[in-house]
Amino acid sequence: MSPKDDHCPDPQLTAILRHELNRQRSKLEMIASENFVSEAVLRFGGSVFTNKYSEGYPDNRYYGGCEWADELESLCQARAKKLFGCEHVNVQPHCGSSANMAAFFSVLKPGETILGMNLAHGGHLTHGAPVSFSGQLYKTSFYGVREDTELIDYDDLLAKAEATRPKLIIAGGSAYPRIIDFNKFREAADRVKAYLMVDMAHFAGLVAAGLFPSPVPLADIVTTTTHKTLRGPRGGMILCRKSLAKAIDEQIFPGIQGGPLMHIVAAKAAALAEALEPDFIDYQRQIVKNSQRLATHLIDAGYRLVSGGTDTHLILVDLRSKKLTGQAAEKALDKAGVTANKNAIPFDRQSYAVTSGLRLGTAALTTRGLVEKDMDVVADYIIEALRHHEDDARLSKIRQRVEDFTKKFPLYPNLDF
Ligand SMILES: *Cc1c(COP(=O)(O)O)cnc(C)c1O
């Protein structure tokens, strides 16, 4: 194959890509950590910058030919700073996990203590789980939610901080549907002289739109992914004060990464420009309206939602009253054309492989153009599929209806593979 080939020369690979595009088009994507990027983000992410090595930072590279990479990265940084109002940003993390790793490395030595949110209560693997580097390199301690309200137990946070004297406290998670009070976290961190890191991977889009309090003024370090509610390419970013800028930058490169993915930096810059447009606020508002509408339907159908509802794009359904597991729900929904994931709920008695919860998110569907009245239809599909979760014939009929329904919301109409 010569690099000049501009039509698809690889039928085997093309077939896989076609199937994936068709899967995304014809199913309802409700994984809370996923979204659909714009065609512009897709294009910049697949650009010639994939060819370029540019280890280092703008105007300080280890390779020649970086003049346009410099322009690109500086533009991306400027847009991120404008959007989030931070003093410094590193746009090179390949993913949220490497952003977190670099953040930890910049302020912690192995063996020091971190305090993060309990994974089973909505935290993230990289916040101290034993299977993650974070649980292997550091002493870990965890705070959780209250059993009665399922809201973060700020008294527990303070008590754990005082008992374990962490060097770093982490706020944020991947299955917590509510607003977080970062002031309480700052107080706890100040009390024990710990750094405060906020991992806003899930709710960064809401923060950008002003619908979730910004952690930037209060946290020492803010990490994020760029591909969840922020609707950019898969990747990460770290925002911090000037005083930590050098330490953070050195930990991303040369600390844990080599050359940045400049095509992804281009796609990040494109996504940040979109997030700076006024209609991004409308988009984020619609995400929350859609998840609240869906929450209402689920409650009406007799489902209990963890914390009783949602302030965000994310809903965590407690399936126990319906004698269903997360695993069974995920499977049934998949057969019906709804893609979501099982998730532990606080105080879950089931294993992580089974779980008693189902996590649903509305960021991707909202990108496709669904509004509240469409969520009424989506809620019907979900409720019917869960009710008949063992009836394959019924589920495949729902699958047909879902497929017809998705045709009303074209996804990448100009794209073919
Ligand atoms: C998704 C997520 C991450 C990790 O992101 P990856 O890009 O998959 O590495 C980190 N922290 C939180 C809170 C997340 O939700």
Side-chain angles (χ1 to χ4, degrees):
M1 192 192 107
S2 101
K4 278 197 296 268
D5 285 341
D6 60 355
H7 56 275
C8 293
D10 185 332
Q12 205 179 3
L13 192 48
T14 301
I16 295 171
L17 272 278
R18 278 210 178 113
H19 283 307
E20 174 60 12
L21 179 56
N22 185 52
R23 186 193 68 80
Q24 294 186 14
R25 281 177 172 156
S26 67
K27 291 190 167 187
L28 292 169
E29 183 52 74
M30 301 200 72
I31 292 178
S33 48
E34 292 190 12
N35 210 330
F36 298 114
V37 299
S38 68
E39 291 192 26
V41 170
L42 212 51
R43 188 147 19 94
F44 287 115
S47 64
V48 291
F49 267 113
T50 195
N51 301 326
K52 188 69 201 107
Y53 244 117
S54 55
E55 282 178 353
Y57 292 98
D59 302 318
N60 185 20
R61 304 281 186 186
Y62 290 82
Y63 287 92
C66 285
E67 60 271 31
W68 296 110
D70 284 357
E71 289 269 332
L72 168 61
E73 188 167 350
S74 301
L75 179 65
C76 188
Q77 290 168 338
R79 288 177 178 176
K81 283 193 209 171
K82 186 167 177 205
L83 185 64
F84 291 111
C86 53
E87 289 181 10
H88 180 76
V89 64
N90 188 306
V91 298
Q92 293 189 6
H94 299 336
C95 62
S97 297
S98 65
N100 286 350
M101 185 186 258
F104 290 4
F105 285 8
S106 70
V107 295
L108 296 167
K109 288 198 273 300
E112 291 185 321
T113 302
I114 59 175
L115 171 57
M117 188 166 184
N118 188 334
L119 182 61
H121 293 202
H124 189 262
L125 284 165
T126 56
H127 299 179
V131 292
S132 145
F133 74 91
S134 57
Q136 289 163 25
L137 291 179
Y138 306 108
K139 289 205 194 87
T140 56
S141 53
F142 300 96
Y143 59 89
V145 299
R146 288 173 56 104
E147 195 153 8
D148 52 352
T149 59
E150 294 170 308
L151 301 177
I152 291 173
D153 186 342
Y154 296 102
D155 297 331
D156 182 39
L157 168 69
L158 199 56
K160 293 279 165 55
E162 288 186 328
T164 65
R165 312 295 297 184
K167 182 103 178 273
L168 177 72
I169 297 179
I170 306 147
S174 48
Y176 186 69
R178 296 296 189 173
I179 298 277
I180 298 171
D181 187 346
F182 299 125
N183 286 296
K184 293 271 189 5
F185 276 91
R186 185 72 258 176
E187 270 169 41
D190 287 345
R191 188 81 68 89
V192 298
K193 298 202 166 45
Y195 288 100
L196 174 60
M197 175 181 131
V198 176
D199 180 347
M200 63 172 182
H202 261 269
F203 48 84
L206 297 167
V207 169
L211 303 179
F212 200 106
S214 173
V216 170
L218 291 170
D220 299 292
I221 305 173
V222 177
T223 58
T224 187
T225 58
T226 44
H227 49 275
K228 298 179 184 175
T229 52
L230 195 55
R231 206 169 62 184
R234 310 200 73 71
M237 288 199 303
I238 307 175
L239 326 177
C240 66
R241 299 187 208 293
K242 278 226 172 70
S243 55
L244 282 173
K246 189 163 174 288
I248 291 282
D249 286 352
E250 284 173 357
Q251 287 307 332
I252 282 291
F253 174 84
I256 65 169
Q257 292 186 174
L261 312 174
M262 291 314 278
H263 53 307
I264 298 301
V265 172
K268 284 173 184 169
L272 290 165
E274 291 170 12
L276 283 161
E277 291 292 323
D279 65 4
F280 190 74
I281 298 174
D282 302 330
Y283 164 59
Q284 296 290 330
R285 279 211 188 98
Q286 191 63 52
I287 290 176
V288 178
K289 281 188 203 161
N290 284 353
S291 76
Q292 291 180 338
R293 182 73 153 244
L294 176 60
T296 305
H297 284 295
L298 292 167
I299 291 166
D300 288 348
Y303 286 92
R304 200 187 74 80
L305 304 189
V306 170
S307 84
T310 179
D311 304 320
T312 64
H313 63 299
L314 184 157
I315 294 170
L316 191 55
V317 189
D318 175 355
L319 300 163
R320 291 173 304 183
S321 69
K322 302 283 186 181
K323 307 256 178 309
L324 250 177
T325 64
Q327 188 181 40
E330 179 186 310
K331 271 211 186 102
L333 288 178
D334 199 40
K335 288 180 187 164
V338 178
T339 312
N341 65 282
K342 64 184 178 224
N343 207 104
I345 58 172
F347 311 100
D348 208 327
R349 296 234 174 88
Q350 300 279 5
S351 71
Y352 281 108
V354 179
T355 80
S356 305
L358 174 71
R359 190 181 68 157
L360 296 167
T362 55
L365 291 188
T366 307
T367 297
R368 287 194 77 167
L370 278 74
V371 296
E372 289 99 313
K373 66 176 167 45
D374 307 309
M375 295 313 293
D376 300 345
V377 179
V378 170
D380 283 346
Y381 294 145
I382 292 173
I383 291 162
E384 189 180 337
L386 293 181
R387 187 175 296 142
H388 302 281
H389 65 278
E390 283 174 324
D391 182 346
D392 277 2
R394 185 84 176 234
L395 294 173
S396 82
K397 280 202 187 112
I398 303 173
R399 170 80 193 98
Q400 264 316 310
R401 283 152 60 204
V402 164
E403 180 149 1
D404 290 342
F405 179 70
T406 58
K407 295 199 176 106
K408 298 202 317 199
F409 308 94
L411 179 67
Y412 305 126
N414 306 317
L415 200 70
D416 184 27
F417 231 106

